[in-house]
Every structure is written in structure tokens, then in C-alpha cells.
């Protein structure tokens, strides 16, 4: 029996990745997927909804609660694709975990608190296996570091800059998910600093598609663990 899997994602790059990469992959695992952007604000007078980004945890929580209320059937599942970089301070686990030196440990702790908080909204439902929290470490553009040469497909004159990015990856231990996320050194900012024409919205998901899901999973253990959970639902 096929299952419905709803993705709530941070931005258009993540949505494009879900639509063009994960929908087809997970269909082979009997999952019918859809992705929608987080609504950040509403203009009720004009009927306008502004989408993209996580401005407050409360808004994200409201979106998830609304989705589950609309479709809390036994064959329905929910997941997120949001970036650790830039998470608001009111996100579960953030104040206590910021001082931890291991970002993957931080993200796993945040996901655990996130899951518990969402499940507490529905104590009457046996819903524990139906919500799979996912916080990307550090942001979607971390995945680009799984194969930086794929940037040359779109910026063919930028060999020197791609080499510099590779050296930065080595300096971060060689793990794309450990490319740190300060305001100056977030993965997308590192790429943009060297390749000024890089546009994360128009190019990010395309480069990830070029890299390929299998290569992304081999290079990014936390990302791979999330995909595995979705396959096994």
C-alpha cells in the first residue's frame, strides 16, 4: 500500500530538490510525496501569504500542526527540511545546545526535542512514527561540498575558485556536513564569496541533482540517515 509523505521545507531550493530528486526516488519505496514552503507571514486583508524561511519556531509549529490536522490518516507521514544555520532562538533545543562543539550532535538533539514537541500536540493519536524531523547540518548548500566539481558544469571558468573551496572542505575535516555555519562561513556564503554569480535559489538544487542522490548520501551521513528513515516508513 502506498503512503503519503508530506515535506514542509524552508525555501524554494529545498522544494525543487524534493520535487526533482526525492519524489521519484521515494516513489520506488511506495511513498507519494509532496512539498510545500513554510508560510512565514500572512496578510489577511489582502489574502497574501509570504513563504520561505523559518522566522520563528511558533510559525513552523503552526504549519506542522495544520498539516497533521488536515491529514492524520494511518497512511500519512510528515517530515521537514530546514537549515540549522539561521534557526530562530525559540527552536526547541537551541539555547542549551549552542555551546556544543559537535554540530551533528547539536542537530540530533534539536531534532529530538523538535519531535517531542510536535508529538505533544497530538497526545490522543498514536503518531510517533509518522513525524520524521529533519534539520540539515548546516544548510542545503552543505550538500554542494559532496562534489564541488559539479559547480564547474555551471561556472566552467571557476577552476581556481572550486579548488579553493576544496581546500576549505579539507580544513573542515573533509565532511560536507561539518562545513561550519557562522554568518561569514556558512556553506552558501563560502561559495558566493568565491563565485559571485552563484545563486543558491536557481543553481543549488540543480547542482545537487548533478551530484546525484547516491553520492550525496555517501558523503553526508546525517542526510543519509534521514533518507533511510523515509525509505523505511
Amino acid at each position: 500500500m502506498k503512503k503519503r509523505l508530506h515535506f514542509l521545507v524552508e525555501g524554494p531550493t529545498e522544494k525543487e530538490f524534493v520535487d526533482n530528486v526525492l519524489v521519484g526516488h521515494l516513489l520506488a519505496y511506495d511513498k507519494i510525496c509532496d512539498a510545500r514552503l513554510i508560510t512565514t507571514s500572512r496578510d489577511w486583508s489582502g489574502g497574501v501569504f509570504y513563504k520561505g524561511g523559518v522566522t520563528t519556531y511558533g510559525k513552523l509549529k503552526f504549519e506542522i500542526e495544520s498539516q497533521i490536522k488536515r491529514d492524520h490518516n494511518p497512511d500519512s507521514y510528515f517530515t521537514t527540511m530546514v537549515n540549522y544555520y539561521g534557526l530562530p532562538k525559540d527552536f526547541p533545543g537551541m539555547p542549551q545546545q549552542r555551546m556544543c562543539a559537535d554540530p551533528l550532535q547539536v542537530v540530533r538533539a534539536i531534532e529530538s526535542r523538535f519531535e517531542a514537541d510536535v508529538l505533544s500536540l497530538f497526545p490522543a493519536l498514536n503518531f510517533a512514527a509518522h513525524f520524521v524531523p529533519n534539520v540539515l547540518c548546516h544548510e542545503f548548500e552543505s550538500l554542494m561540498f559532496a562534489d564541488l566539481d559539479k559547480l564547474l558544469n555551471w561556472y566552467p571558468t571557476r577552476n581556481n575558485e572550486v579548488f579553493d573551496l576544496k581546500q576549505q572542505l579539507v580544513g573542515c575535516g573533509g565532511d560536507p556536513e561539518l562545513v561550519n555555519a557562522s554568518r561569514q562561513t556558512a556553506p552558501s556564503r563560502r561559495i558566493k564569496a568565491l563565485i559571485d554569480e552563484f545563486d543558491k535559489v536557481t543553481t543549488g538544487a540543480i547542482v545537487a541533482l548533478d551530484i546525484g542522490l547516491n553520492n550525496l548520501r555517501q558523503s553526508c551521513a546525517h542526510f543519509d540517515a534521514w533518507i533511510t528513515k523515509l525509505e523505511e516508513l
Side-chain angles (χ1 to χ4, degrees):
M1 182 179 69
K2 286 185 168 55
K3 300 171 181 177
R4 292 192 297 277
L5 177 56
H6 304 292
F7 288 75
L8 192 60
V9 302
E10 178 161 335
T13 305
E14 290 83 1
K15 185 179 187 306
E16 186 176 350
F17 179 77
V18 173
D19 290 342
N20 292 311
V21 178
L22 297 186
V23 167
H25 174 77
L26 291 169
L27 184 60
Y29 292 85
D30 291 327
K31 311 297 188 303
I32 299 174
C33 303
D34 62 82
R36 59 178 291 172
L37 294 172
I38 299 164
T39 301
T40 54
S41 62
R42 297 168 171 82
D43 179 358
W44 295 109
S45 61
V48 178
F49 293 77
Y50 300 96
K51 297 188 176 185
V54 183
T55 54
T56 70
Y57 175 65
K59 291 177 181 178
L60 174 60
K61 183 176 178 179
F62 176 80
E63 290 274 319
I64 295 171
E65 182 178 11
S66 299
Q67 273 203 332
I68 293 175
K69 285 180 176 178
R70 283 193 299 268
D71 188 15
H72 56 271
N73 295 295
D75 60 347
S76 299
Y77 296 81
F78 305 83
T79 191
T80 58
M81 197 173 190
V82 298
N83 297 330
Y84 171 50
Y85 173 57
L87 277 186
K89 292 181 179 180
D90 65 339
F91 212 94
M94 287 293 284
Q96 295 80 14
Q97 302 297 335
R98 278 294 192 185
M99 300 305 293
C100 178
D102 182 352
L104 289 170
Q105 182 179 338
V106 175
V107 166
R108 285 190 287 267
I110 290 172
E111 288 176 340
S112 179
R113 293 277 300 277
F114 182 20
E115 179 181 25
D117 191 54
V118 169
L119 294 180
S120 71
L121 296 170
F122 303 96
L125 295 178
N126 183 20
F127 220 68
H130 288 252
F131 177 61
V132 181
N134 173 52
V135 177
L136 292 168
C137 186
H138 290 278
E139 59 175 348
F140 182 83
E141 288 72 28
S142 300
L143 302 178
M144 308 298 96
F145 284 78
D147 187 352
L148 288 162
D149 283 332
K150 291 299 188 288
L151 287 168
L152 295 173
N153 292 345
W154 303 95
Y155 310 107
T157 65
R158 294 296 198 166
N159 287 280
N160 291 338
E161 289 79 6
V162 168
F163 177 80
D164 287 346
L165 288 168
K166 290 179 180 179
Q167 294 302 108
Q168 292 183 30
L169 176 61
V170 171
C172 294
D175 185 339
E177 293 181 307
L178 295 182
V179 177
N180 63 316
S182 75
R183 188 171 295 276
Q184 294 76 31
T185 60
S188 60
R189 290 178 180 266
R190 289 174 183 261
I191 298 172
K192 183 70 173 176
L194 290 169
I195 305 175
D196 183 63
E197 61 270 36
F198 174 74
D199 186 320
K200 59 188 293 182
V201 174
T202 60
T203 311
I206 297 173
V207 174
L209 181 61
D210 287 348
I211 294 171
L213 185 59
N214 287 339
N215 289 333
L216 293 173
R217 296 180 71 172
Q218 290 171 11
S219 299
C220 306
H222 182 73
F223 173 81
D224 175 57
W226 172 55
I227 300 297
T228 299
K229 289 178 183 178
L230 300 183
E231 293 170 344
E232 295 176 347
L233 289 174

